[in-house]
Amino acid sequence: MRTLIWRDSYSIGIDTLDEQHKTLLGYINELYESQKTSTSQAVIKDMIQKLHDYSVFHFKNEEDLEIECKYDNYDTNKKEHEFFISKINEFSKDFENNNLLLSLKTLDFLKDWMISHILGTDKEFGEFLRKEKAQ
């Protein structure tokens, strides 16, 4: 896995959410770098927790905005968020129980899920908001 670099094509046009997406990608990058440099288990565990907590914070912000705007695909997006959080919880438990470093497969999942979610569901929400504002 390579370090994730924010691209303009990831922008959904909602500054607050775009900044939060950049932060989430930064946390995934930190995990990758920690894995690569064999950082201590305690630091990696803290980073997984940080990614979890910030994801919960970000998803709540996004979902609150979707509810406020009466977004049609709210339920789908919420389910995707719940899936991501459940995967982070699984990774955290596996990491703790096995006392192993995170696998590249885990890091690839985090990266791939985040990018495809931003470019899919979140982009759709950005489009929805732009259309709503135009009316």
Side-chain angles (χ1 to χ4, degrees):
M1 181 186 122
R2 280 194 236 135
T3 301
L4 291 166
I5 298 169
W6 180 262
R7 297 188 174 130
D8 289 340
S9 63
Y10 299 161
S11 175
I12 65 168
I14 305 167
D15 293 340
T16 305
L17 297 181
D18 284 337
E19 288 305 313
Q20 291 174 5
H21 288 154
K22 290 176 188 177
T23 299
L24 286 167
L25 294 180
Y27 287 151
I28 294 169
N29 284 335
E30 285 180 39
L31 275 171
Y32 172 70
E33 288 302 317
S34 295
Q35 173 72 9
K36 199 166 97 176
T37 58
S38 299
T39 302
S40 77
Q41 303 289 42
V43 171
I44 292 174
K45 182 179 177 195
D46 287 345
M47 292 174 81
I48 294 169
Q49 188 63 50
K50 209 162 82 168
L51 175 62
H52 172 276
D53 294 347
Y54 197 81
S55 295
V56 169
F57 163 78
H58 164 68
F59 294 156
K60 176 155 180 25
N61 285 336
E62 197 172 280
E63 291 165 10
D64 287 349
L65 185 56
E66 290 172 350
I67 289 169
E68 179 184 322
C69 297
K70 297 179 173 111
Y71 182 49
D72 294 339
N73 290 330
Y74 166 79
D75 290 334
T76 300
N77 200 24
K78 182 166 179 54
K79 285 178 186 169
E80 288 181 19
H81 292 164
E82 289 169 350
F83 174 75
F84 186 75
I85 294 299
S86 73
K87 292 303 275 184
I88 292 176
N89 289 336
E90 281 178 36
F91 298 150
S92 181
K93 285 178 186 168
D94 289 345
F95 179 79
E96 215 170 279
N97 292 336
N98 298 322
N99 200 22
L100 300 171
L101 294 175
L102 292 174
S103 71
L104 287 178
K105 184 178 173 186
T106 298
L107 294 166
D108 282 341
F109 166 81
L110 294 171
K111 174 195 76 156
D112 293 345
W113 187 94
M114 188 59 61
I115 296 302
S116 60
H117 182 76
I118 291 169
L119 291 175
T121 309
D122 288 349
K123 280 272 195 185
E124 288 173 15
F125 179 54
E127 283 289 313
F128 172 83
L129 278 183
R130 278 190 289 289
K131 287 177 184 172
E132 287 294 307
K133 288 181 180 180
Q135 292 180 2

